[in-house]
């Protein structure tokens, strides 16, 4: 379990990774010590991930997400220097979880992100750091999303 915890901790500390785990059913068919050790590792790994708020997906759900992320597109990107506003359309195809996220820089040149409108509605800014960069984390849904980011 310690190796699994270490991988989860490294991912959460900035070494972002999708972590796949294959729990074989063979030890449970054999029983005894094999099943007990497998159960300890499986339960410990899943409990630790859940305690850290990490989603636990099947390989099918993960594959669906990866395909949707690949098929998503950003179009009509316009930077308006006079208004310090970035506008674009993000198109996300339908997929099982139905939600995707995008990171917007908290700083652009000397300007700071003041607010974001998603489809005409002001959205809460959730701050997130990736390496040395600071971002606003924005959840979007499937379909066309119009994003307006205001800097100042």
């Amino acid at each position: 379990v310690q190796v699994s915890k270490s991988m989860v901790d490294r991912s959460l500390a900035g070494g972002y990774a999708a972590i796949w785990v294959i729990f074989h059913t063979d030890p449970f068919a054999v029983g005894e010590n094999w099943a007990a050790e497998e159960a300890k590792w499986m339960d410990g790994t899943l409990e630790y991930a859940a305690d850290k708020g990490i989603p636990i997906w099947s390989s099918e759900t993960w594959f669906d997400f990866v395909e949707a992320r690949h098929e998503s597109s950003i179009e009509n990107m316009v930077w308006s220097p006079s208004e310090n506003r970035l506008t674009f359309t993000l198109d996300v195809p339908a997929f099982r979880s139905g939600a995707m996220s995008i990171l917007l820089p908290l700083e652009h040149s000397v300007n700071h992100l003041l607010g974001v409108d998603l489809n005409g509605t002001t959205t809460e800014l959730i701050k997130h750091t990736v390496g040395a960069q600071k971002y606003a984390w924005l959840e979007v849904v499937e379909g066309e999303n119009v994003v307006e980011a205001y800097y100042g």
Side-chain angles (χ1 to χ4, degrees):
V1 176
Q2 195 56 41
V3 171
S4 298
K5 288 180 177 181
S6 174
M7 292 174 69
V8 167
D9 290 341
R10 279 185 293 192
S11 181
L12 292 173
Y16 304 107
I19 301 171
W20 272 282
V21 181
I22 299 173
F23 298 112
H24 291 281
T25 58
D26 301 356
F28 297 105
V30 173
E32 299 176 16
N33 288 342
W34 289 91
E37 289 300 312
E38 179 75 7
K40 185 168 45 171
W41 175 56
M42 180 178 73
D43 292 342
T45 299
L46 293 174
E47 286 173 14
Y48 190 74
D51 288 347
K52 297 289 185 174
I54 297 173
I56 299 170
W57 289 355
S58 68
S59 56
E60 183 179 23
T61 301
W62 175 251
F63 181 70
D64 190 46
F65 166 77
V66 169
E67 281 190 321
R69 182 180 62 186
H70 178 267
E71 296 300 320
S72 296
S73 63
I74 294 177
E75 299 174 347
N76 307 317
M77 186 176 286
V78 176
W79 171 252
S80 173
S82 63
E83 299 175 318
N84 287 328
R85 182 181 67 184
L86 175 66
T87 305
F88 60 91
T89 304
L90 173 61
D91 189 36
V92 178
F95 66 106
R96 280 180 190 82
S97 79
M100 187 76 64
S101 58
I102 187 168
L103 298 175
L104 297 172
L106 282 176
E107 297 177 356
H108 172 67
S109 186
V110 296
N111 297 305
H112 299 280
L113 184 61
L114 301 175
V116 177
D117 289 347
L118 177 62
N119 297 321
T121 302
T122 301
T123 304
E124 178 185 358
L125 296 179
I126 300 170
K127 296 179 180 176
H128 189 72
T129 301
V130 179
Q133 289 295 118
K134 295 180 181 179
Y135 295 94
W137 179 287
L138 180 64
E139 295 260 338
V140 295
V141 295
E142 63 185 52
E144 184 177 278
N145 295 273
V146 177
V147 179
E148 292 182 283
Y150 299 92
Y151 291 82

